[in-house]
Amino acid sequence: MINTAALLARVDLVDLVGREVTLKKQGAEWVGCCPFHDERTPSFHVVPAKGFVHCFGCGAHHDAIGYTMAMYHYDFAEACRKLGGQEMGDAVRKAVRAVPQRANDKPVELWVPIYPVPDSAPRWVAGERGSVWNPKREPRVPGGTPGGWWELAPDRADAYRAADGALMGYVLRVMIEGKKMTPTVTWCIGPRGEARWCLQHFPEPRPLCGLDALAERPDAPVLVVEGEKCRAVSAGALPAYVCVAWPGGTKGVKYVDFSPLAGRDVVLWPDADEGGFGAMLGYVDGSGLLHEGVAQFAHRAGARSLRVVDVSVQSKGWDIADAIEDGWTPRQLAGWAKARVRTVEVRESEGMAV
Ligand SMILES: [Zn+2]
Protein backbone atom coordinates (compact mmCIF):
# COMPACT_ATOMS: atom_id res chain seq x y z
CA MET A 1 0.00 0.00 0.00
CA ILE A 2 1.33 3.39 -0.95
CA ASN A 3 2.22 5.54 2.06
CA THR A 4 2.35 9.15 0.93
CA ALA A 5 3.12 10.68 4.33
CA ALA A 6 6.90 10.95 3.99
CA LEU A 7 6.75 12.42 0.48
CA LEU A 8 4.03 14.95 1.35
CA ALA A 9 5.94 15.99 4.48
CA ARG A 10 8.96 16.88 2.34
CA VAL A 11 7.02 19.04 -0.12
CA ASP A 12 6.82 22.79 0.40
CA LEU A 13 3.25 23.33 -0.81
CA VAL A 14 3.52 27.14 -0.97
CA ASP A 15 6.70 26.91 -3.04
CA LEU A 16 5.13 24.28 -5.31
CA VAL A 17 1.95 26.24 -6.03
CA GLY A 18 3.86 29.51 -6.08
CA ARG A 19 5.64 28.41 -9.26
CA GLU A 20 2.37 28.77 -11.18
CA VAL A 21 0.13 30.96 -9.04
CA THR A 22 0.84 34.38 -7.55
CA LEU A 23 0.09 33.91 -3.87
CA LYS A 24 -0.53 36.40 -1.07
CA LYS A 25 -0.23 35.48 2.59
CA GLN A 26 -3.47 35.70 4.54
CA GLY A 27 -3.03 34.58 8.13
CA ALA A 28 -1.88 30.97 8.14
CA GLU A 29 -2.97 30.51 4.51
CA TRP A 30 -1.88 31.73 1.10
CA VAL A 31 -4.42 32.93 -1.46
CA GLY A 32 -4.35 33.40 -5.24
CA CYS A 33 -6.39 33.09 -8.42
CA CYS A 34 -7.40 29.48 -9.09
CA PRO A 35 -5.40 27.75 -11.83
CA PHE A 36 -8.27 25.32 -12.41
CA HIS A 37 -11.01 27.80 -13.29
CA ASP A 38 -11.20 31.31 -14.70
CA GLU A 39 -11.48 33.98 -12.03
CA ARG A 40 -10.42 37.51 -11.16
CA THR A 41 -11.13 37.46 -7.43
CA PRO A 42 -8.79 35.05 -5.68
CA SER A 43 -10.62 32.11 -4.11
CA PHE A 44 -7.83 29.54 -4.28
CA HIS A 45 -6.40 28.82 -0.84
CA VAL A 46 -3.17 27.05 0.00
CA VAL A 47 -3.23 25.64 3.54
CA PRO A 48 0.33 24.45 4.27
CA ALA A 49 -0.44 23.35 7.84
CA LYS A 50 -3.04 20.91 6.58
CA GLY A 51 -1.23 20.01 3.39
CA PHE A 52 -3.93 20.86 0.88
CA VAL A 53 -5.13 23.46 -1.60
CA HIS A 54 -8.81 24.35 -1.82
CA CYS A 55 -10.76 26.51 -4.26
CA PHE A 56 -13.98 28.04 -2.95
CA GLY A 57 -14.97 28.86 -6.56
CA CYS A 58 -14.77 25.49 -8.34
CA GLY A 59 -14.29 23.15 -5.39
CA ALA A 60 -10.86 21.90 -6.51
CA HIS A 61 -9.26 20.23 -3.49
CA HIS A 62 -5.88 18.55 -3.64
CA ASP A 63 -2.85 17.57 -1.69
CA ALA A 64 0.54 18.17 -3.33
CA ILE A 65 0.34 14.98 -5.37
CA GLY A 66 -3.20 15.64 -6.60
CA TYR A 67 -2.33 19.26 -7.37
CA THR A 68 0.68 18.19 -9.42
CA MET A 69 -1.42 15.65 -11.32
CA ALA A 70 -4.17 18.16 -12.08
CA MET A 71 -1.82 21.05 -12.83
CA TYR A 72 0.62 19.26 -15.12
CA HIS A 73 -1.63 16.43 -16.36
CA TYR A 74 0.62 13.81 -14.83
CA ASP A 75 -0.48 10.41 -13.69
CA PHE A 76 0.04 9.50 -10.05
CA ALA A 77 3.47 7.92 -10.49
CA GLU A 78 4.74 10.83 -12.61
CA ALA A 79 3.53 13.29 -9.99
CA CYS A 80 5.38 11.40 -7.24
CA ARG A 81 8.57 11.50 -9.28
CA LYS A 82 8.11 15.19 -10.03
CA LEU A 83 7.89 15.80 -6.27
CA GLY A 84 11.12 13.90 -5.65
CA GLY A 85 9.59 10.53 -4.84
CA GLN A 86 11.34 8.34 -7.39
CA GLU A 87 11.01 5.23 -5.25
CA MET A 88 7.38 5.90 -4.60
CA GLY A 89 6.73 6.44 -8.29
CA ASP A 90 8.18 2.99 -8.92
CA ALA A 91 6.13 1.47 -6.09
CA VAL A 92 2.99 3.03 -7.55
CA ARG A 93 3.75 1.58 -10.98
CA LYS A 94 4.04 -1.82 -9.34
CA ALA A 95 0.84 -1.37 -7.31
CA VAL A 96 -1.00 -0.12 -10.38
CA ARG A 97 -0.13 -3.25 -12.30
CA ALA A 98 -1.83 -5.26 -9.56
CA VAL A 99 -5.12 -3.37 -10.00
CA PRO A 100 -7.43 -4.79 -12.65
CA GLN A 101 -7.60 -2.43 -15.61
CA ARG A 102 -10.88 -3.80 -16.86
CA ALA A 103 -14.11 -4.89 -15.20
CA ASN A 104 -16.37 -7.26 -17.12
CA ASP A 105 -14.25 -6.56 -20.18
CA LYS A 106 -14.95 -2.83 -19.93
CA PRO A 107 -12.11 -0.39 -19.35
CA VAL A 108 -12.06 1.14 -15.88
CA GLU A 109 -10.34 4.27 -14.67
CA LEU A 110 -7.38 3.78 -12.41
CA TRP A 111 -7.74 4.91 -8.81
CA VAL A 112 -4.66 4.40 -6.62
CA PRO A 113 -5.27 3.65 -2.91
CA ILE A 114 -3.01 5.70 -0.67
CA TYR A 115 -2.57 6.26 3.04
CA PRO A 116 -2.56 7.84 5.54
CA VAL A 117 -6.08 9.06 4.83
CA PRO A 118 -5.76 12.85 5.20
CA ASP A 119 -7.43 14.62 8.13
CA SER A 120 -9.61 16.51 5.66
CA ALA A 121 -11.27 13.29 4.44
CA PRO A 122 -14.63 12.38 5.99
CA ARG A 123 -14.52 9.39 8.34
CA TRP A 124 -16.87 6.42 8.05
CA VAL A 125 -19.06 5.98 11.09
CA ALA A 126 -21.60 3.21 11.69
CA GLY A 127 -25.12 4.51 11.14
CA GLU A 128 -24.05 7.62 9.22
CA ARG A 129 -24.51 8.08 5.50
CA GLY A 130 -21.55 8.51 3.23
CA SER A 131 -20.67 8.49 -0.47
CA VAL A 132 -18.21 6.20 -2.09
CA TRP A 133 -17.03 6.22 -5.68
CA ASN A 134 -17.28 2.95 -7.58
CA PRO A 135 -14.64 3.11 -10.33
CA LYS A 136 -15.89 -0.11 -11.89
CA ARG A 137 -19.47 0.97 -12.51
CA GLU A 138 -20.30 0.98 -16.17
CA PRO A 139 -20.73 4.32 -17.96
CA ARG A 140 -24.30 5.67 -17.94
CA VAL A 141 -24.09 6.26 -21.68
CA PRO A 142 -22.15 4.12 -24.17
CA GLY A 143 -18.61 5.46 -24.45
CA GLY A 144 -19.11 7.68 -21.37
CA THR A 145 -16.88 7.91 -18.33
CA PRO A 146 -17.01 4.80 -16.16
CA GLY A 147 -17.66 5.00 -12.44
CA GLY A 148 -20.40 6.38 -10.26
CA TRP A 149 -21.30 7.38 -6.71
CA TRP A 150 -22.85 5.01 -4.23
CA GLU A 151 -24.67 6.38 -1.18
CA LEU A 152 -24.68 4.06 1.78
CA ALA A 153 -25.24 3.98 5.51
CA PRO A 154 -23.08 1.16 6.88
CA ASP A 155 -24.11 -0.52 10.13
CA ARG A 156 -20.43 -1.25 10.82
CA ALA A 157 -17.31 0.65 9.82
CA ASP A 158 -14.11 -1.11 10.91
CA ALA A 159 -10.95 0.91 10.46
CA TYR A 160 -7.75 -0.67 9.19
CA ARG A 161 -4.68 1.03 10.57
CA ALA A 162 -0.99 0.65 9.84
CA ALA A 163 1.45 -0.26 12.62
CA ASP A 164 1.97 3.44 13.35
CA GLY A 165 -1.78 4.02 13.64
CA ALA A 166 -2.19 5.72 10.25
CA LEU A 167 -5.66 5.12 8.79
CA MET A 168 -5.49 2.91 5.68
CA GLY A 169 -9.19 2.39 4.96
CA TYR A 170 -12.29 0.60 6.22
CA VAL A 171 -14.25 -2.53 5.75
CA LEU A 172 -17.92 -1.51 5.93
CA ARG A 173 -20.92 -3.69 6.55
CA VAL A 174 -24.03 -2.77 4.64
CA MET A 175 -27.37 -4.51 4.33
CA ILE A 176 -28.66 -4.33 0.76
CA GLU A 177 -32.13 -5.84 0.31
CA GLY A 178 -31.58 -8.10 3.29
CA LYS A 179 -28.19 -9.24 2.05
CA LYS A 180 -25.02 -8.54 4.01
CA MET A 181 -22.20 -6.92 2.05
CA THR A 182 -18.75 -6.04 3.38
CA PRO A 183 -17.12 -3.67 0.88
CA THR A 184 -13.60 -2.37 1.42
CA VAL A 185 -13.26 1.36 0.96
CA THR A 186 -9.88 3.00 0.45
CA TRP A 187 -8.85 6.61 -0.03
CA CYS A 188 -7.75 6.83 -3.66
CA ILE A 189 -6.27 9.37 -6.03
CA GLY A 190 -7.97 9.31 -9.42
CA PRO A 191 -6.69 9.86 -12.93
CA ARG A 192 -7.18 13.64 -12.72
CA GLY A 193 -5.61 14.11 -9.30
CA GLU A 194 -8.84 14.18 -7.30
CA ALA A 195 -8.97 12.10 -4.12
CA ARG A 196 -12.01 10.38 -2.65
CA TRP A 197 -13.29 7.25 -0.95
CA CYS A 198 -13.43 4.46 -3.49
CA LEU A 199 -14.96 1.04 -3.55
CA GLN A 200 -11.54 -0.53 -3.95
CA HIS A 201 -9.70 -3.28 -2.12
CA PHE A 202 -6.44 -2.79 -0.33
CA PRO A 203 -3.65 -3.61 -2.77
CA GLU A 204 -2.14 -7.06 -2.33
CA PRO A 205 -0.74 -8.21 -0.04
CA ARG A 206 -3.61 -6.80 2.02
CA PRO A 207 -3.16 -5.62 5.60
CA LEU A 208 -4.46 -7.39 8.69
CA CYS A 209 -7.04 -5.58 10.79
CA GLY A 210 -5.29 -4.76 14.07
CA LEU A 211 -1.74 -3.94 12.90
CA ASP A 212 -1.65 -0.98 15.29
CA ALA A 213 -2.57 -3.18 18.27
CA LEU A 214 0.04 -5.76 17.21
CA ALA A 215 2.74 -3.09 17.12
CA GLU A 216 1.68 -1.62 20.46
CA ARG A 217 2.03 -4.95 22.31
CA PRO A 218 4.90 -6.83 20.67
CA ASP A 219 5.00 -9.54 23.36
CA ALA A 220 1.29 -10.27 23.70
CA PRO A 221 -0.13 -13.49 22.23
CA VAL A 222 -2.20 -13.00 19.10
CA LEU A 223 -5.73 -14.24 18.53
CA VAL A 224 -6.76 -14.54 14.88
CA VAL A 225 -10.52 -14.51 14.30
CA GLU A 226 -12.69 -14.38 11.18
CA GLY A 227 -14.19 -10.99 10.41
CA GLU A 228 -13.94 -7.49 11.78
CA LYS A 229 -16.96 -7.84 14.07
CA CYS A 230 -15.44 -10.87 15.83
CA ARG A 231 -12.18 -9.01 16.13
CA ALA A 232 -13.84 -6.05 17.85
CA VAL A 233 -15.80 -8.32 20.20
CA SER A 234 -12.84 -10.53 21.09
CA ALA A 235 -10.58 -7.52 21.66
CA GLY A 236 -13.06 -6.42 24.33
CA ALA A 237 -13.64 -9.88 25.82
CA LEU A 238 -10.12 -11.31 25.76
CA PRO A 239 -7.80 -8.40 26.59
CA ALA A 240 -4.82 -10.69 27.22
CA TYR A 241 -4.63 -11.14 23.44
CA VAL A 242 -3.97 -8.82 20.55
CA CYS A 243 -6.90 -9.66 18.26
CA VAL A 244 -6.58 -9.53 14.51
CA ALA A 245 -8.73 -10.38 11.49
CA TRP A 246 -8.16 -10.19 7.77
CA PRO A 247 -10.22 -8.54 4.99
CA GLY A 248 -12.20 -10.42 2.38
CA GLY A 249 -13.64 -13.36 4.35
CA THR A 250 -12.76 -17.01 3.85
CA LYS A 251 -11.73 -16.49 0.21
CA GLY A 252 -9.52 -13.53 1.06
CA VAL A 253 -6.91 -15.35 3.18
CA LYS A 254 -4.45 -15.88 0.32
CA TYR A 255 -4.24 -12.16 -0.46
CA VAL A 256 -3.14 -11.09 3.02
CA ASP A 257 0.25 -10.11 4.40
CA PHE A 258 0.75 -12.33 7.47
CA SER A 259 4.37 -11.26 8.03
CA PRO A 260 3.41 -9.22 11.15
CA LEU A 261 2.78 -12.58 12.89
CA ALA A 262 6.52 -13.38 12.77
CA GLY A 263 7.85 -14.31 16.21
CA ARG A 264 4.40 -14.25 17.81
CA ASP A 265 2.44 -16.86 19.74
CA VAL A 266 -0.67 -17.26 17.63
CA VAL A 267 -4.05 -18.77 18.51
CA LEU A 268 -6.57 -19.35 15.73
CA TRP A 269 -10.26 -19.18 16.58
CA PRO A 270 -12.24 -20.32 13.55
CA ASP A 271 -15.92 -19.82 12.88
CA ALA A 272 -17.63 -23.17 13.48
CA ASP A 273 -18.31 -24.15 9.89
CA GLU A 274 -16.48 -25.76 7.01
CA GLY A 275 -15.52 -22.42 5.47
CA GLY A 276 -14.24 -21.19 8.82
CA PHE A 277 -12.11 -24.29 9.48
CA GLY A 278 -10.74 -24.19 5.93
CA ALA A 279 -9.85 -20.51 6.16
CA MET A 280 -7.87 -21.08 9.36
CA LEU A 281 -6.32 -24.51 8.79
CA GLY A 282 -6.35 -24.86 5.03
CA TYR A 283 -8.19 -27.58 3.15
CA VAL A 284 -7.72 -29.96 0.28
CA ASP A 285 -10.36 -29.63 -2.43
CA GLY A 286 -11.99 -32.40 -4.48
CA SER A 287 -9.16 -32.41 -7.01
CA GLY A 288 -6.50 -32.83 -4.32
CA LEU A 289 -5.33 -29.22 -4.41
CA LEU A 290 -4.30 -27.68 -1.08
CA HIS A 291 -5.83 -24.29 -0.32
CA GLU A 292 -3.66 -22.79 2.37
CA GLY A 293 -5.18 -21.24 5.45
CA VAL A 294 -4.04 -18.75 8.06
CA ALA A 295 -2.07 -21.56 9.75
CA GLN A 296 0.16 -22.21 6.75
CA PHE A 297 0.72 -18.51 6.09
CA ALA A 298 1.43 -17.75 9.76
CA HIS A 299 3.82 -20.71 9.93
CA ARG A 300 5.70 -19.52 6.86
CA ALA A 301 5.75 -15.97 8.23
CA GLY A 302 7.63 -17.32 11.25
CA ALA A 303 5.00 -17.46 14.00
CA ARG A 304 6.68 -18.73 17.19
CA SER A 305 3.82 -21.04 18.15
CA LEU A 306 0.55 -21.94 16.52
CA ARG A 307 -2.56 -23.23 18.28
CA VAL A 308 -6.21 -23.56 17.34
CA VAL A 309 -9.35 -23.54 19.44
CA ASP A 310 -11.43 -26.63 18.62
CA VAL A 311 -14.92 -25.20 18.13
CA SER A 312 -16.34 -28.28 16.38
CA VAL A 313 -18.76 -29.02 19.25
CA GLN A 314 -20.56 -25.73 18.65
CA SER A 315 -23.48 -25.20 16.28
CA LYS A 316 -22.75 -24.36 12.67
CA GLY A 317 -21.39 -20.88 12.13
CA TRP A 318 -20.91 -20.13 15.85
CA ASP A 319 -18.26 -17.52 16.62
CA ILE A 320 -17.00 -15.37 19.50
CA ALA A 321 -19.52 -12.63 18.78
CA ASP A 322 -22.37 -15.19 19.06
CA ALA A 323 -21.01 -16.40 22.40
CA ILE A 324 -20.94 -12.89 23.85
CA GLU A 325 -24.39 -12.11 22.40
CA ASP A 326 -25.66 -15.32 24.02
CA GLY A 327 -24.52 -13.98 27.36
CA TRP A 328 -21.22 -15.76 27.88
CA THR A 329 -18.96 -13.80 30.18
CA PRO A 330 -15.41 -13.14 28.99
CA ARG A 331 -14.24 -15.41 31.82
CA GLN A 332 -16.46 -18.26 30.61
CA LEU A 333 -15.24 -17.73 27.07
CA ALA A 334 -11.57 -17.83 28.09
CA GLY A 335 -12.10 -20.91 30.26
CA TRP A 336 -14.00 -22.73 27.53
CA ALA A 337 -11.27 -21.99 24.98
CA LYS A 338 -8.45 -22.98 27.32
CA ALA A 339 -9.81 -26.53 27.55
CA ARG A 340 -10.10 -26.82 23.79
CA VAL A 341 -6.92 -25.31 22.45
CA ARG A 342 -4.63 -27.64 20.49
CA THR A 343 -1.22 -27.24 18.98
CA VAL A 344 -1.19 -26.95 15.21
CA GLU A 345 1.54 -28.67 13.27
CA VAL A 346 2.07 -27.55 9.72
CA ARG A 347 3.72 -30.05 7.42
CA GLU A 348 4.97 -28.14 4.41
CA SER A 349 4.27 -30.79 1.77
CA GLU A 350 0.80 -31.89 2.74
CA GLY A 351 -0.66 -28.91 4.49
CA MET A 352 -2.28 -29.44 7.79
CA ALA A 353 -2.28 -31.68 10.77
CA VAL A 354 -3.96 -30.76 14.03
ZN1 LIG B 1 -11.15 27.01 -8.82
Side-chain angles (χ1 to χ4, degrees):
M1 184 129 183
I2 307 301
N3 182 344
T4 57
L7 178 60
L8 291 175
R10 286 204 304 270
V11 174
D12 183 334
L13 197 57
V14 175
D15 178 64
L16 175 71
V17 177
R19 288 174 213 166
E20 314 292 344
V21 181
T22 306
L23 293 171
K24 270 193 183 149
K25 197 163 191 315
Q26 200 177 87
E29 303 183 1
W30 296 72
V31 184
C33 284
C34 180
F36 302 115
H37 84 280
D38 208 13
E39 67 174 3
R40 290 196 187 143
T41 317
S43 49
F44 186 70
H45 289 236
V46 180
V47 190
K50 291 189 173 164
F52 62 69
V53 300
H54 183 83
C55 176
F56 288 93
C58 68
H61 185 101
H62 299 291
D63 64 13
I65 298 170
Y67 168 84
T68 304
M69 291 172 72
M71 193 69 205
Y72 304 105
H73 306 288
Y74 288 155
D75 70 21
F76 187 92
E78 287 166 343
C80 293
R81 291 197 181 116
K82 167 92 176 173
L83 295 172
Q86 178 70 36
E87 272 173 31
M88 204 167 88
D90 296 342
V92 170
R93 284 267 182 267
K94 208 173 143 204
V96 158
R97 278 197 297 269
V99 176
Q101 304 292 301
R102 301 171 78 82
N104 304 326
D105 257 4
K106 304 281 194 312
V108 296
E109 287 194 324
L110 190 67
W111 289 75
V112 182
I114 59 161
Y115 83 97
V117 178
D119 292 341
S120 55
R123 265 39 180 176
W124 287 92
V125 179
E128 289 184 12
R129 293 194 78 77
S131 305
V132 62
W133 181 256
N134 179 2
K136 296 193 182 89
R137 197 162 87 182
E138 292 193 14
R140 287 178 190 281
V141 290
T145 314
W149 288 105
W150 185 26
E151 289 273 328
L152 67 161
D155 55 30
R156 284 194 69 86
D158 289 279
Y160 276 65
R161 294 181 183 280
D164 64 1
L167 182 61
M168 303 173 93
Y170 296 86
V171 169
L172 307 177
R173 193 182 67 180
V174 209
M175 299 302 287
I176 305 275
E177 291 164 3
K179 207 173 158 243
K180 186 182 91 168
M181 295 177 71
T182 52
T184 301
V185 295
T186 48
W187 185 254
C188 298
I189 293 200
R192 286 162 295 278
E194 65 278 54
R196 59 179 69 148
W197 286 111
C198 283
L199 201 60
Q200 181 129 297
H201 265 297
F202 298 110
E204 295 161 23
R206 298 175 186 159
L208 286 167
C209 187
L211 289 176
D212 49 343
L214 269 177
E216 260 170 42
R217 297 166 63 199
D219 300 319
V222 181
L223 186 71
V224 184
V225 297
E226 183 181 328
E228 294 80 9
K229 182 185 176 188
C230 265
R231 193 201 75 85
V233 169
S234 50
L238 301 168
Y241 289 85
V242 169
C243 300
V244 301
W246 69 90
T250 55
K251 291 191 175 71
V253 175
K254 62 185 172 199
Y255 303 117
V256 174
D257 176 13
F258 286 99
S259 65
L261 299 183
R264 310 290 296 238
D265 294 311
V266 176
V267 177
L268 311 175
W269 191 312
D271 284 9
D273 53 32
E274 211 175 309
F277 299 140
M280 287 295 185
L281 300 176
Y283 66 98
V284 177
D285 69 16
S287 56
L289 189 70
L290 170 69
H291 297 260
E292 294 183 307
V294 176
Q296 285 85 356
F297 288 110
H299 173 73
R300 205 173 305 137
R304 186 163 66 183
S305 67
L306 208 47
R307 291 181 297 161
V308 63
V309 179
D310 178 8
V311 295
S312 56
V313 296
Q314 293 291 346
S315 56
K316 196 167 180 263
W318 182 88
D319 60 26
I320 291 183
D322 294 329
I324 296 295
E325 274 167 25
D326 287 347
W328 289 38
T329 64
R331 201 190 161 105
Q332 267 178 305
L333 193 67
W336 185 84
K338 202 174 173 188
R340 281 160 190 82
V341 70
R342 317 245 186 282
T343 299
V344 178
E345 283 170 32
V346 177
R347 289 193 293 252
E348 277 302 329
S349 54
E350 50 195 294
M352 202 69 251
V354 180

